[in-house]
Amino acid sequence: MSFTPTHEQAAALEAFRHSDHLVIQAGAGTGKTSTLAFLAEQMPARRGRYLAFNRAIALDAASRFPATVQCKTAHSLAYAALGHRYRDRLNSPRRPGWRVGQDLGLNTPARIHGRDLMPATLSNAVLRTVTRYCQSADTDLAHHHVPHLRGIDSDEAHAELADLPLPYAAKAWDDLQNPNAGIVRLEHDHYLKMWALTDPVLCGDFLLLDEAQDTNPVVEQIVLAQRERTQIVMVGDSAQAIYGWRGARDVMTGFTGHPLALTRSFRFGPRLAAEANRWLTLSGAPIQLTGTPDIPTTVGPHTSQLDAVLCRTNIGAVTEIFDLLDAGTATALVGGGDALRALAQAARDLIQGRRTHHPELLLFTTWAELRDYAELDPAGADLQPFANLVDEHGPDAILHAVGRLVSEDQAQVAVSTAHKAKGREWPRVRIAPDFTPPPDTDELDAEGRPLPGPINEEEARLAYVAVTRARHHLDPTGLAWINDHPDNPAAPAT
């Protein structure tokens, strides 16, 4: 390697030499990939595998690791072993969910707890059930794989709902086993699950699992099954575990291995490290970061120059896009505008009196019904910003704004959600104002003002991800409320 290892990297090498299982907590910008490549290079007689979060990371790692390490994603391993048999089905044309359900025999509407469920709604539930099963470590389809639907929230209602799509999900899974042709369009998660069910063996002297804090249960199952035959090195940042809402798990916390840490960030300087450490403390993280003294990262209100705006929600991203486009700024949306386009089209359907198949809105028959749900039902509070945005601008204006977006390489400013920004970095970053503080409690302080509620660890992790994307300057205005919150670790003692 071209760098002199830090004492933490040297400690990792010493532990790696002993062939023990390792758990490496690597904070934002601490050079985890460089460290893993350093370990492999210093042990040239050993051969191993590096398992990456996505294809881009795997390709980057392949250019940095020695030839003794195979850098792949779980999906690429599954494709080589089994998925290639389904190559023709992977290229089959997309079909609407309602038509797939129809071909599976799902043609009858149902009524659950006062909600009418059309065959199209049930068909989408069938396909999502199969997806959730494929992302799990379970061997069989079960009721808990059936997704919850808005407006059918109680356990009793969900149990009744699950009885409807589950037999069709089993039929869909059987259909997917045919490598030649079938009703259901085969996706990459499908053949990954098929491969996992074969109890695959990953040969090698060691297995490096990157981004271990956001591991799907099906990948966790594959990795943990190798414990007795190879050295496992899990590396990640527990404070960046932000995908629990879609089933990912932090597999480092329950794994028995020699604990190590990488805490020196090479991305930013001490001032930003101090900002990050506030959120690390609030998230219950096992580490604190140290910035690189030679990097003069500044923190404060943004200057005229800006490279990225990071938002908490898609709706916050739309608001930022409107403002930037109105100012004549060439704007990109990280990950593209498909999700926003789908929401705006769904809203337009409801406003024009049509049902929508969007999974978040499919149980609403009219826009007025959605508005009432968002305003009056606590379970619908997260929809209110979206409803307000549509009422203020109209769905066509949102669609027009999405159509005016440019690619990132042509943009002056990139807008992203914090989730999409994970793994990315920019020179100058601003935090958007939709990172709102927790709601007030019913308790009052000595002056009769409501006391703010505690800061959720999941929200603290998301804030940590957001603030650590900057290299040279961070404008944390959207998170400035932390300065006055009683949980603020930097607040002076009283």
Side-chain angles (χ1 to χ4, degrees), residues 150 309-323 333 339-344 347 358 360-361 367 370 380-393 398 402 415-418 432-435:
R150 285 189 181 275
V309 181
L310 304 187
C311 308
R312 172 66 181 85
T313 64
N314 282 323
I315 305 309
V318 175
T319 302
E320 294 294 332
I321 288 169
F322 273 122
D323 290 343
L333 179 64
L340 295 179
R341 185 179 293 107
L343 271 173
H358 193 287
E360 283 295 299
L361 310 179
W367 182 249
L370 181 145
D382 61 313
L383 283 177
Q384 184 144 19
F386 168 67
N388 291 341
L389 190 77
V390 171
D391 284 345
E392 180 180 355
H393 296 283
I398 297 173
V402 171
V415 176
S416 178
T417 64
D434 64 334
F435 283 85

Side-chain angles (χ1 to χ4, degrees), residues 104 130 133-134 139 141 168-178 184 189-191 193-194 197:
L104 290 170
V130 173
Y133 164 65
C134 289
T139 55
L141 278 158
Y168 295 97
K171 190 175 180 179
W173 182 240
D174 287 340
D175 172 86
L176 288 165
Q177 311 302 306
N178 184 347
V184 185
D189 280 350
H190 295 148
Y191 66 73
K193 181 64 174 182
M194 295 177 201
L197 291 172

Side-chain angles (χ1 to χ4, degrees), residues 177-199:
Q177 311 302 306
N178 184 347
N180 299 315
I183 296 169
V184 185
R185 187 175 192 266
L186 188 123
E187 306 285 353
H188 296 284
D189 280 350
H190 295 148
Y191 66 73
L192 175 62
K193 181 64 174 182
M194 295 177 201
W195 181 57
L197 291 172
T198 68
D199 297 323

Side-chain angles (χ1 to χ4, degrees), residues 278 281-282 438 452-456 481-482 484-491:
R278 293 206 283 179
T281 298
L282 290 166
I455 297 173
N456 179 280
W481 53 264
I482 184 62
D484 300 317
H485 196 282
D487 289 350
N488 179 15

Side-chain angles (χ1 to χ4, degrees), residues 163-290:
D163 285 335
L164 295 174
L166 200 58
Y168 295 97
K171 190 175 180 179
W173 182 240
D174 287 340
D175 172 86
L176 288 165
Q177 311 302 306
N178 184 347
N180 299 315
I183 296 169
V184 185
R185 187 175 192 266
L186 188 123
E187 306 285 353
H188 296 284
D189 280 350
H190 295 148
Y191 66 73
L192 175 62
K193 181 64 174 182
M194 295 177 201
W195 181 57
L197 291 172
T198 68
D199 297 323
V201 173
L202 302 182
C203 299
D205 299 310
F206 56 86
L207 173 61
L208 311 174
L209 177 63
D210 198 2
E211 298 287 342
Q213 81 283 347
D214 277 320
T215 303
N216 276 350
V218 64
V219 176
E220 175 188 9
Q221 175 193 34
I222 294 167
V223 170
L224 295 185
Q226 317 303 317
R227 277 178 298 193
E228 303 304 319
R229 60 177 70 101
T230 191
Q231 180 186 21
I232 295 177
V233 179
M234 292 190 177
V235 61
D237 186 354
S238 289
Q240 293 192 56
I242 59 174
Y243 286 107
W245 55 275
R246 70 179 190 191
R249 286 170 27 85
D250 178 7
V251 298
M252 296 189 295
T253 56
F255 181 70
T256 303
H258 183 74
L260 295 159
L262 300 176
T263 61
R264 166 79 175 276
S265 180
F266 302 99
R267 180 179 299 162
F268 43 74
R271 181 65 187 88
L272 199 149
E275 182 71 19
N277 286 338
R278 293 206 283 179
W279 298 104
L280 284 171
T281 298
L282 290 166
S283 69
I287 62 172
Q288 292 274 283
L289 292 180
T290 301

